[in-house]
Amino acid sequence: MSNAKFITFEGVDGAGKSTGLDWFAEALRKRGIDLLVTREPGGTPLGEQLREILLNQPMHVETEAMLMFAARREHVEKVIRPALQRGTWVISDRFSDASFAYQGGGRGVPLAKLEQLEQWVHGDLQPDLTLLFDIPIEVARQRLSNNASLDRFEQEKGEFFERVRQAYLARAAKSPHRIAVIRAEKSLQEVQQELSKIVASL
Ligand code: TMP
């Protein structure tokens, strides 16, 4: 494999991760880095169809977990791995940490089952770096309340997001070298300063 890096962005809905991602990708492009921005669930034609179902259709929690990983399998094989092999960096708006946080922490799917799926789908591929946008749930919910239509996940209660947040933080504590926690309740300028330090370190 080339030296291209695989970087993922994570956080509860409303944490400001997508705004941070746009800024970060632009900062890398300005340094002349060839990169691809993608997202999960999604990132391939089939993955985008699965996203539509996952965000709107009620289903059993384990069906949800398996569909997330099915979309991911397609994404890894068709987009992420080929890009990295040709030297293109990949920035993904969410990856498997989201499954551990939402399906594991939020919905209560046993971690051992998610670990099996992870092993199956991308046992030999992990992000080089993950930026976790962490924010108090009340602040994230206030930001979301400006959205006109909320999907199946965004409609969940505060306790659900608290569990998701704690699951993310637990993963960050277990992998401190891979996962950098960004305090996302800070001003946009302060968040950008933190991101620019990370860009400079890459
Ligand atoms: P997005 O709004 O950040 O694009 O993500 C779509 C939703 O999908 C978000 O509420 C989190 C959820 N999700 C999971 O529950 N598990 C996963 O593995 C992924 C990738 C996303």
Side-chain angles (χ1 to χ4, degrees):
M1 257 215 203
S2 69
N3 289 329
K5 291 197 188 301
F6 176 30
I7 302 173
T8 59
F9 278 63
E10 297 283 358
V12 296
D13 298 83
K17 130 187 96 60
S18 303
T19 311
L21 188 156
D22 289 344
W23 190 89
F24 190 86
E26 197 45 38
L28 285 180
R29 284 198 188 98
K30 280 190 191 139
R31 296 181 145 232
I33 292 170
D34 172 31
L35 65 90
L36 180 107
V37 174
T38 185
R39 69 171 181 182
E40 289 205 349
T44 63
L46 176 60
E48 291 294 329
Q49 283 184 300
L50 290 172
R51 178 187 179 92
E52 194 56 35
I53 295 170
L54 279 160
L55 266 47
N56 298 298
Q57 181 85 37
M59 63 186 78
H60 187 272
V61 293
E62 292 192 355
T63 310
E64 183 179 285
M66 286 190 273
L67 285 182
M68 289 290 179
F69 275 97
R72 184 162 299 132
R73 181 69 179 153
E74 195 73 5
H75 197 203
V76 165
E77 293 312 316
K78 300 261 171 75
V79 175
I80 299 175
R81 215 189 287 280
L84 294 173
Q85 274 165 351
R86 64 176 185 265
T88 300
W89 290 35
V90 176
I91 300 189
S92 186
D93 191 340
R94 301 192 185 281
F95 194 61
S96 285
D97 292 308
S99 299
F100 284 93
Y102 280 79
Q103 281 66 56
R107 305 265 197 239
V109 175
L111 291 191
K113 289 190 174 175
L114 296 173
E115 280 164 1
Q116 278 183 336
L117 288 171
E118 180 189 35
Q119 187 56 35
W120 185 5
V121 169
H122 61 95
D124 57 341
L125 177 79
Q126 286 295 336
D128 296 297
L129 172 68
T130 296
L131 304 189
L132 170 58
F133 282 62
D134 182 58
I135 194 166
I137 296 305
E138 321 80 71
V139 184
R141 309 270 301 162
Q142 263 165 17
R143 291 185 182 177
L144 274 185
S145 64
N146 299 330
N147 288 11
S149 67
L150 299 179
D151 66 39
R152 209 162 64 78
F153 291 97
E154 292 166 336
Q155 286 168 18
E156 285 290 343
K157 297 197 180 71
E159 307 97 78
F160 174 85
F161 287 107
E162 199 51 65
R163 292 196 299 276
V164 173
R165 182 186 186 198
Q166 294 310 326
Y168 266 134
L169 289 173
R171 276 182 84 71
K174 261 174 66 183
S175 302
H177 298 297
R178 174 174 67 87
I179 306 181
V181 180
I182 308 287
R183 301 279 163 224
E185 77 272 28
K186 290 187 183 167
S187 71
L188 195 59
Q189 220 178 6
E190 285 171 302
V191 170
Q192 287 176 354
Q193 271 170 6
E194 242 180 282
L195 294 179
S196 67
K197 278 190 211 151
I198 295 174
V199 169
S201 75
L202 286 170

